[in-house]
Amino acid sequence: MTSSVPAPSAATALKPPGEWQQFAAAFLKNKGAAAGLLVLLLLVLASVLAPWIAPYDPNILHAGKEQLPPVLFGGTAEFIFGTDDAGRDTLSRILYGSRYSLLIGLAATLIAMLAGVCLGLAAAFWPKSAGKLIMLLNDILMSYPGLLLAIIIAAILGPSMANTVLAIALVCMPPFIRITRATALVELQKDYVTAARVMGAVLPRLMLITVLPNCMGPLIVQATMIFSSAILEAGAIGFLGLGVQPPSAEWGAMLGNARQYIQSNVWMAVFPGLAIFIAALSINLTGDGLRDALDPKLKQVS
């Protein structure tokens, strides 16, 4: 007499997708977000591999080859994107410039996010004391145009890469404070926070382990948007000569150097401007995909 093993049902045979699988499926459904992420990864890869893939050193002066046009405008294959007014290869400077622009944007975003999360949590946990002062200062910062305030701060601190990062981080901090405070106040009303308090969770654990992880979804989406804004603001500060100083290659500084030749040799401004545009657009598209994938009301996984 043989015993037969029942065949697994369809419900048990098909394993439900995990959270990361659901997130990836929801993100990849947005074709624009997938394309933006691909372009962003290519930009990061180009910045990392710049010493190996750049045709020349970005600061080498090629005597007698100043302001050569790119190949598309009748130039030579020796300089695909042409040269600047000092005879430096534009393609090499674009590749090396991605290091400065992406690093400034990323560093400013991380500093703004860290400081904004700390202040936002403090405003949520002590709304009647520290919260009022923090939100007052936050409203003052948000009342000024962000780019104008960043330029003023950079001018006061002095031209350098570190001062540019600090100026942009200070300007980008208010949205993180608002989002962290708003989401933390909502989370503090939920039962799991009350249970954690009853079980004797100390304040640092309550803030950083219990509440903060449940606020990270909107913060991650906001960080991608701030990253894009930080790159644009870094370009504007560099354009005015208040950011990374010559001879270092930075997209905004390259634009500032090319503005006096904008009517005669427009290609000198086209390529750094196009690099800033592509970087900002790819980050914005990626942020849109993250928003749709992280928001349970927007994501639809079949």
Side-chain angles (χ1 to χ4, degrees):
M1 183 176 180
T2 60
S3 60
S4 59
V5 179
S9 62
T12 58
L14 296 176
K15 184 179 179 180
E19 292 184 3
W20 283 106
Q21 291 176 319
Q22 294 180 16
F23 170 80
F27 181 86
L28 294 176
K29 274 191 173 182
N30 189 330
K31 302 303 182 184
L37 180 60
L38 178 61
V39 173
L40 180 58
L41 292 176
L42 290 176
L43 287 174
V44 173
L45 187 63
S47 67
V48 173
L49 299 179
W52 294 275
I53 63 177
Y56 306 97
D57 186 288
N59 299 322
I60 287 183
L61 307 180
H62 301 272
K65 298 181 178 180
E66 294 83 3
Q67 302 184 37
L68 291 181
V71 172
L72 294 177
F73 290 86
T76 63
E78 184 181 3
F79 303 100
I80 298 177
F81 285 2
T83 59
D84 63 5
D85 59 331
R88 295 171 295 194
D89 180 54
T90 301
L91 175 58
S92 300
R93 292 181 66 78
I94 290 290
L95 292 173
Y96 275 87
S98 63
R99 289 184 155 195
Y100 289 102
S101 296
L102 294 177
L103 181 59
I104 290 173
L106 180 61
T109 302
L110 292 177
I111 293 173
M113 185 175 182
L114 180 61
V117 166
C118 293
L119 292 174
L121 287 175
F125 276 80
W126 297 284
K128 295 182 179 179
S129 54
K132 290 184 178 181
L133 178 60
I134 291 172
M135 296 313 297
L136 175 62
L137 295 175
N138 193 66
D139 290 339
I140 292 174
L141 285 176
M142 294 191 72
S143 65
Y144 285 90
L147 179 57
L148 178 60
L149 184 59
I151 293 173
I152 293 174
I153 296 173
I156 294 173
L157 295 177
S160 72
M161 179 175 172
N163 291 341
T164 300
V165 171
L166 291 177
I168 297 175
L170 183 60
V171 170
C172 295
M173 187 173 57
F176 288 114
I177 296 177
R178 277 188 174 275
I179 291 177
T180 304
R181 175 181 176 272
T183 52
L185 286 175
V186 172
E187 296 299 322
L188 285 173
Q189 306 302 318
K190 295 185 177 179
D191 294 337
Y192 75 92
V193 177
T194 304
R197 282 175 168 165
V198 171
M199 295 176 65
V202 295
L203 187 59
R205 179 181 178 85
L206 196 64
M207 295 173 67
L208 302 178
I209 298 179
T210 305
V211 174
L212 181 58
N214 294 289
C215 305
M216 289 306 297
L219 288 173
I220 292 173
V221 175
Q222 183 65 35
T224 59
M225 303 303 178
I226 293 296
F227 189 14
S228 172
S229 299
I231 290 178
L232 293 175
E233 290 169 2
I237 292 174
F239 178 82
L240 297 175
L242 299 173
V244 177
Q245 295 300 292
S248 299
E250 192 267 332
W251 294 339
M254 293 175 65
L255 271 176
N257 183 61
R259 61 183 167 183
Q260 55 186 321
Y261 306 102
I262 195 71
Q263 294 183 345
S264 58
N265 301 325
V266 67
W267 60 81
M268 292 177 59
V270 166
F271 292 110
L274 192 60
I276 294 174
F277 168 75
I278 291 174
L281 179 62
S282 64
I283 295 170
N284 280 333
L285 290 175
T286 304
D288 289 340
L290 288 175
R291 180 200 60 203
D292 295 347
L294 292 172
D295 192 337
K297 296 179 181 178
L298 296 176
K299 66 180 178 180
Q300 297 178 356
V301 182
S302 58

